Amino acid sequence: MAPTTPFTAFRIENDAAGYRSGLAQLDLDDLNPGQVLIRAQWSSVNYKDALAGTGKGRILRRFPLVGGIDVAGTVVASTDPAWREGDAVLATGCGLSETRDGGYSQYVRLESSAVIAQPAGLSPREAMVLGTAGFTAALALLRLQDNRQTPELGPLAVTGASGGVGALALSIFSRAGYTVHAVSGKPEQADFLRGIGASEVLPREALADTGPLQSARFGGGLDNAGGDMLASLLAQTVPYGSVVSAGLAASPKLDMTVMPFILRGVSLLGVSSASAPRGLREEVWSRLGNEWKPQHLERICTAEVGLDGLQAVFERMLGGGSLGRTVVRID
């Protein structure tokens, strides 16, 4: 049932008073238009959310907006017959907390094209432990498999392995039958990484060599760092292996030669979780609710907060202190 009284949201503003974010009381008329009104239950914290919530990254394209690029909840009203009251749904990306109000709100109104049915194999909370991070990791695996990546090619390296995308990739890739090597600058988290799917934990120095072509040791991988680490991973990939680029935590630049591509047939693949077409999103979420559902979701979910705890999580994440995933309870 649609609310008749104000509700709580985490709103981001940028005006003459400066850039700021925090809890606000909103009415439905304050939200962007859309066909589907959702009573939110859970959301999550992604690096992009931390940048948007603190103003340390240029994420929002208009102000004010409710933050949160992910949401899971229940439909309370819809003008699109495809969605009915009581349907369990989720949304990730699709302009949330960028061009339209996002998921850090008790009520979220979306265009029907952004709404995905919650897979039967996932609870709303599990869906948000996955969120954009899990969707990105699974989308990377789909891209790898579409490019004929098989376990027989060798281990998949995952950089930034202790972060949300990296941690979920370890679990999803291993669930799909691949041997996975975690590459991390946090040696104190080695036991955690092995516990969620890594067969080996390697230091960042494993990808420090910037030579144009190195001894092939990886079947391919998922890179969340960019820069020299991505270049080194490509140079250490076996013939006809593939590497997916999903982040730029270290650098947006890529300085390398074409030698891995023309001498070994290595492929560099990209993923864009925010703009993935609907059919692709449905396929990935279907798999996440079934054969790719991580076995270690509760271990990967290292924190749970309410809307009032977001600021502290943002600062910790941007300071390099995050581990695994943080879910947001929408009270």
Side-chain angles (χ1 to χ4, degrees):
M1 182 176 180
T4 56
T5 58
F7 53 88
T8 303
F10 183 90
R11 205 179 201 197
I12 304 168
E13 304 192 52
N14 187 16
D15 52 26
Y19 198 105
R20 61 199 186 279
S21 60
L23 299 186
Q25 294 297 301
L26 303 182
D27 295 311
L28 283 183
D29 289 344
D30 296 316
L31 297 178
N32 298 146
Q35 293 85 32
V36 185
L37 181 65
I38 299 166
R39 176 57 167 99
Q41 296 170 298
W42 297 93
S43 185
S44 68
V45 182
N46 303 277
Y47 194 73
K48 191 173 180 179
D49 293 315
L51 292 173
T54 59
K56 295 180 180 178
R58 299 181 64 180
I59 305 299
L60 274 66
R61 300 184 189 178
R62 53 186 293 267
F63 297 89
L65 284 181
V66 174
I69 66 174
D70 297 338
V71 67
T74 304
V75 174
V76 294
S78 175
T79 58
D80 184 336
W83 303 107
R84 297 181 296 178
E85 183 178 351
D87 285 346
V89 297
L90 61 85
T92 59
C94 297
L96 273 70
S97 190
E98 185 177 353
T99 59
R100 62 174 303 116
D101 291 312
Y104 293 160
S105 175
Q106 291 178 313
Y107 288 87
V108 179
R109 188 158 51 198
L110 298 174
E111 298 290 339
S112 60
S113 60
V115 180
I116 299 291
Q118 180 184 296
L122 295 172
S123 69
R125 186 179 186 277
E126 288 176 328
M128 290 297 96
V129 174
L130 290 163
T132 286
F135 176 79
T136 300
L139 181 58
L141 180 55
L142 188 64
R143 291 280 279 142
L144 288 167
Q145 292 189 341
D146 283 348
N147 208 45
R148 300 191 176 187
Q149 189 77 34
T150 64
E152 290 71 28
L153 284 174
L156 296 177
V158 175
T159 66
S162 64
V165 176
L168 285 162
L170 295 180
S171 192
I172 292 168
F173 291 2
S174 61
R175 178 70 188 272
Y178 293 82
T179 299
V180 193
H181 290 181
V183 182
S184 174
K186 299 178 179 178
E188 69 278 9
Q189 300 301 340
D191 288 344
F192 169 77
L193 297 173
R194 291 190 183 94
I196 60 174
S199 62
E200 290 191 31
V201 179
L202 307 175
R204 289 174 180 164
E205 289 73 22
L207 296 177
D209 190 338
T210 57
L213 204 63
Q214 303 162 39
S215 296
R217 62 184 298 192
F218 302 114
L222 170 62
D223 176 66
N224 294 293
D228 289 344
M229 292 187 75
L230 174 56
S232 185
L233 176 54
L234 287 162
Q236 295 185 52
T237 295
V238 303
Y240 289 93
S242 300
V243 175
V244 175
S245 174
L248 42 72
S251 173
K253 297 181 179 180
L254 183 59
D255 183 10
M256 61 176 294
T257 74
V258 299
M259 291 175 68
F261 309 127
I262 63 174
L263 296 182
R264 289 183 179 162
V266 171
S267 295
L268 174 59
L269 308 174
V271 293
S272 176
S273 59
S275 59
R278 182 180 184 83
L280 192 57
R281 285 186 284 129
E282 289 176 331
E283 179 178 357
V284 170
W285 278 108
S286 175
R287 295 195 182 199
L288 282 170
N290 291 282
E291 69 268 26
W292 288 355
K293 182 178 179 179
Q295 297 174 309
H296 314 287
L297 277 179
E298 284 309 308
R299 189 176 297 180
I300 294 170
C301 181
T302 55
E304 179 182 316
V305 299
L307 293 174
D308 57 354
L310 285 170
Q311 293 284 13
V313 175
F314 293 161
E315 295 298 335
R316 184 168 67 250
M317 180 175 282
L318 294 179
S322 63
L323 175 69
R325 289 282 284 164
T326 296
V327 290
V328 182
R329 182 184 61 256
I330 309 294
D331 296 318

